[in-house]
Amino acid sequence: MDTTELFAEFANTLSFNRGQPREGLPDVDALLAWLREHGLVSERGRATEVARLRRDPREAAARMGRFRELRALLHQLAGELADEGQPTTESVTELNRVLREGLHYHQLKRQPDGAHYAVTQVGDRLDQARAAIASSFAHFVADDAPERLRVCANQGCRWIFVDRSPTGRRRWCDMRTCGNQAKAARHRARARSKQLAVPQPGVPQPAAHD
């Protein structure tokens, strides 16, 4: 796969198999493990958030909702970019809101021993993680090749990927799976069309007219 972009990897945590959704981040533990794997939270930060959110199920549900909203937005942005060549103003406004919510700053803080200092980051770490994912999309559109962003042409898949092929004409996320499925579907359609065109024994045929 060519989906090396952070935003695409996150968007594809919701995948589809023959049109049926498959949830890759079913709960807070899975979400935080994904964020840790992709360097968006530290191990200490992951453990802290797991403990905090397990104690507060309502907050955990709210956090999951915000990440899923971002994921839905990324799917929408990718579709708009692939189909229309640019995202809508409304989608960009929503992306900028996520970026703004992730604002943070650093401060110099004296350590407990009084002799050393540390630079600490101030701000909500999960909002920062969401903003980092959104920033990945923003930088891709601004600095990379947005015309290469694709949504798999297999309507039962809809995987988001960046076409890095030399020709830039890929339609499917993977030729061995979705591409072959499309070829097989076209072959079956042609076979049915030929079968319908062949006169069937015992079936009256339309009379020819001069």
Side-chain angles (χ1 to χ4, degrees), residues 73-148:
L73 175 62
L74 291 171
H75 277 277
Q76 181 174 317
L77 284 161
E80 291 169 354
L81 201 57
D83 294 340
E84 306 297 332
Q86 61 182 7
T88 64
T89 300
E90 293 77 11
S91 295
V92 171
T93 298
E94 187 64 17
L95 184 77
N96 286 335
R97 181 185 63 79
V98 177
L99 292 168
R100 189 166 57 251
E101 289 175 352
L103 290 176
H104 63 278
Y105 61 92
H106 292 85
Q107 67 179 6
L108 186 65
K109 187 175 181 179
R110 191 188 299 271
Q111 296 288 65
D113 62 13
H116 298 88
Y117 290 84
V119 176
T120 59
Q121 185 168 293
V122 180
D124 186 287
R125 62 169 61 90
L126 294 185
D127 281 344
Q128 292 168 26
R130 289 172 64 243
I133 296 168
S135 179
S136 169
F137 180 86
H139 281 284
F140 173 79
V141 172
D143 304 327
D144 203 319
E147 72 279 3
R148 292 289 189 117

Side-chain angles (χ1 to χ4, degrees), residues 21-95:
R22 288 185 174 182
E23 178 57 75
L25 302 176
D27 51 36
V28 166
D29 285 17
L31 170 64
L32 289 166
W34 191 93
L35 296 177
R36 175 70 187 101
E37 179 184 345
H38 290 79
L40 298 176
V41 296
S42 66
E43 178 55 33
R44 183 177 180 180
R46 184 201 66 80
T48 299
E49 292 294 339
V50 165
R52 182 175 72 87
L53 295 177
R54 283 178 178 173
R55 292 193 302 267
D56 190 344
R58 292 182 64 182
E59 177 67 9
R63 293 295 184 147
M64 288 298 300
R66 292 171 79 176
F67 274 94
R68 285 172 177 163
E69 286 173 3
L70 171 60
R71 191 172 60 184
L73 175 62
L74 291 171
H75 277 277
Q76 181 174 317
L77 284 161
E80 291 169 354
L81 201 57
D83 294 340
E84 306 297 332
Q86 61 182 7
T88 64
T89 300
E90 293 77 11
S91 295
V92 171
T93 298
E94 187 64 17
L95 184 77

